[in-house]
Amino acid sequence: MTDLKKLTSEIEAIAREAGSFISKEALSFDIGRAEVKGLNNFVSYVDKGAEKIIVNKLTALLPEAGFEAEEGTSDKRGKIYNWVVDPLDGTTNFMHGLPPYAVSIALREHDEPVAGAVFEITRNEMFTGWKNGGAWLDGKIIHVSDAVKMSESLIATGFPYTDFSRFDGYMELFSWCCQHTHGVRRLGSAATDIAYVACGRFEGFYEYGLYPWDIAAATIILREAGGRISDFSGNEKALTGSEIIAASEAVFLEMLKIVSNFMKK
């Protein structure tokens, strides 16, 4: 395998190039040209354009790797390595001119991310991480919060927008978090939320109904920053995004217990 540190530097450059394209398009974006993929699920010509840039650059960077990309620009699958790409995480925010929104690129070896970058465009912040290489924000090492319990924590979440089958339990959990933590924030970009857990801005994040491209890059960044990420049952392997708890090491087990209690199927 190639040098992951060097590879991550290349991923960062590609994420910045896509982010530059998105920033320029934001100046004249026409919300009327957005397409509806499903209930409250949108895609724009900006998502598609950014993904084409990313896929073309990554194909040249690592020809043997396949792709799992949100907008389906490439359906190639690699035997060992696959890129997991969200060209614009937070499309609804972007469409309405609201922060945050981000480019998310990860390299997955078999089922686990080994390198990734999350570029939060509106603050021009680049989060990166690679296996056994640490987690970084704009070239400076980052780590999760030192808080040791939920009562000392600021929590992030994302409201479901297509699957409301578990909404009652979700709202009960939301209510509990509002009453027993420093508060709950909903930013609208899961990749950004998890990156913020990695750098200690949040202590934890939970959501259901996400996809691999929403979480893959942030997963390796969080793990390298000393955090943990799992589904609602505590499984930390081969995560799909359908259920996600991301938290600092100290808060993780308490948060897992609380979330799983409210979100039992």
Side-chain angles (χ1 to χ4, degrees):
M1 179 59 198
T2 187
D3 181 341
L4 286 176
K5 180 179 180 180
K6 181 179 179 181
L7 185 70
T8 303
S9 179
E10 299 284 354
I11 297 170
E12 176 182 338
I14 294 168
R16 288 191 185 279
E17 183 174 344
S20 178
F21 166 77
I22 292 167
S23 293
K24 290 176 181 177
E25 292 297 325
L27 299 175
S28 59
F29 178 72
D30 179 4
I31 195 171
R33 291 176 61 191
E35 302 170 30
V36 180
K37 294 195 290 185
L39 178 62
N40 298 323
N41 190 9
F42 303 97
V43 63
S44 73
Y45 55 93
V46 180
D47 302 65
K48 293 179 178 180
E51 187 168 290
K52 288 178 181 178
I53 292 170
I54 294 166
V55 168
N56 288 340
K57 294 286 185 176
L58 293 177
T59 298
L61 180 62
L62 200 64
E64 68 268 30
F67 287 89
E68 190 167 1
E70 181 174 13
E71 308 309 335
T73 301
S74 173
D75 58 3
K76 176 185 176 183
R77 290 292 183 268
K79 291 183 178 180
I80 300 175
Y81 298 108
N82 286 281
W83 296 106
V84 188
V85 176
D86 192 338
L88 180 50
D89 185 58
T91 297
T92 301
N93 283 0
F94 172 82
M95 287 168 51
H96 289 273
L98 293 171
Y101 43 87
V103 178
S104 176
I105 304 172
L107 179 66
R108 193 165 57 191
E109 182 176 358
H110 297 298
D111 291 328
E112 296 301 324
V114 294
V118 173
F119 181 40
E120 202 291 287
I121 297 166
T122 64
R123 290 181 58 136
N124 193 32
E125 290 188 326
M126 179 65 71
F127 298 85
T128 55
W130 62 93
K131 190 174 181 179
N132 300 321
W136 305 81
L137 169 54
D138 293 334
K140 296 181 180 180
I141 196 79
I142 56 174
H143 57 80
V144 294
S145 165
D146 293 329
V148 298
K149 50 189 176 182
M150 290 283 285
S151 61
E152 302 172 347
S153 299
L154 183 64
I155 304 299
T157 190
F159 294 117
Y161 54 90
T162 56
D163 178 6
F164 297 97
S165 62
R166 307 174 71 184
F167 199 63
D168 290 346
Y170 175 87
M171 290 308 296
E172 290 176 5
L173 171 59
F174 180 79
S175 176
W176 186 96
C177 288
C178 287
Q179 297 175 63
H180 295 89
T181 72
H182 283 183
V184 184
R185 301 291 183 267
R186 199 278 192 179
L187 302 186
S189 166
T192 302
D193 287 323
I194 301 171
Y196 283 7
V197 176
C199 71
R201 294 173 184 168
F202 294 136
E203 279 69 38
F205 166 76
Y206 66 90
E207 190 169 354
Y208 73 89
L210 296 172
Y211 296 93
W213 46 79
D214 296 313
I215 67 165
T219 291
I220 184 63
I221 295 167
L222 175 64
R223 286 174 173 166
E224 289 296 320
R228 294 175 67 179
I229 184 167
S230 77
D231 62 19
F232 293 168
S233 299
N235 170 52
E236 299 181 55
K237 299 292 184 181
L239 299 173
T240 66
S242 60
E243 298 178 347
I244 287 297
I245 297 171
S248 62
E249 175 73 34
V251 169
F252 177 80
L253 290 179
E254 181 186 3
M255 187 167 176
L256 173 62
K257 180 180 180 180
I258 291 164
V259 172
S260 62
N261 181 57
F262 283 104
M263 296 301 296
K264 288 177 181 175
K265 294 183 179 179

